[in-house]
Amino acid sequence: MTGAAKRIGLEVAGWALLVIGIIAIPLPGPGLLGVFAGLLLLSQQYEWAEKRVEPVKMKALLGAAQGVESWPKIIVSVIAALLLAGAGVVWILGPAQPSWWPLPEWSWLPGGMWTGITQIASAIFALGFIIYSYRRYHGNEEEIQELRDRVEELSSKD
């Protein structure tokens, strides 16, 4: 791959991950990780992105740590990931539009099989991240406090 093609490929991937990550922040799944990955790629080309990599990384890790602080949070996260995987299975199976669906036919399960595959992949990633976060942070107040302090330190620099 030539230097220009590689640069363009990384930039396109970076912007795509950044936009998808921003969209995914309010949804179940690893939105901040998408933002982080996008910024990490874009930081190779842009100084503004390089300045934001560490703060986003720390906020994502703190979010992961806070997500496994209690069993209700863990259970809700696991259920959300399983629901996402279930929706992916429905998308892959592609059942016919039900009679109660009030919108046009094209709006029923848009994206087809590939949408389902991405949903299942996202669910697997989310479950893996929940397990990682649980092992690393659950009951480890010292490390969580270090993350909080680091996030606060980086926020005060802005």
Side-chain angles (χ1 to χ4, degrees):
M1 187 182 280
T2 68
K6 182 179 179 182
R7 183 184 63 77
I8 291 169
L10 288 174
E11 193 165 337
V12 168
W15 281 109
L17 285 168
L18 182 62
V19 169
I20 291 168
I22 290 169
I23 291 169
I25 285 175
L27 303 173
L32 274 177
L33 289 177
V35 171
F36 171 69
L39 285 174
L40 193 60
L41 290 175
L42 291 172
S43 70
Q44 297 175 25
Q45 299 294 323
Y46 299 105
E47 188 176 326
W48 63 265
E50 187 176 349
K51 291 178 182 178
R52 287 166 177 80
V53 168
E54 187 68 13
V56 170
K57 176 184 173 186
M58 290 297 110
K59 286 180 183 176
L61 290 174
L62 181 58
Q66 290 171 335
V68 294
E69 283 180 327
S70 67
W71 281 107
K73 287 182 177 183
I74 295 168
I75 291 168
V76 167
S77 296
V78 169
I79 289 171
L82 293 174
L83 287 172
L84 183 61
V89 169
V90 170
W91 248 267
I92 290 170
L93 295 176
Q97 177 181 340
S99 59
W100 53 264
W101 186 254
L103 301 174
E105 186 176 341
W106 61 265
S107 67
W108 174 251
L109 303 177
M113 181 178 69
W114 288 108
T115 300
I117 290 170
T118 357
Q119 289 173 326
I120 292 171
S122 295
I124 291 168
F125 182 80
L127 289 169
F129 198 62
I130 292 165
I131 292 167
Y132 165 81
S133 300
Y134 180 83
R135 288 180 152 179
R136 182 165 180 185
Y137 299 114
H138 187 76
N140 190 347
E141 284 302 317
E142 283 182 24
E143 192 157 358
I144 294 171
Q145 189 57 49
E146 286 177 25
L147 284 174
R148 285 188 179 109
D149 294 343
R150 184 74 176 129
V151 166
E152 182 66 33
E153 174 188 330
L154 290 169
S155 296
S156 66
K157 286 183 180 179
D158 289 340

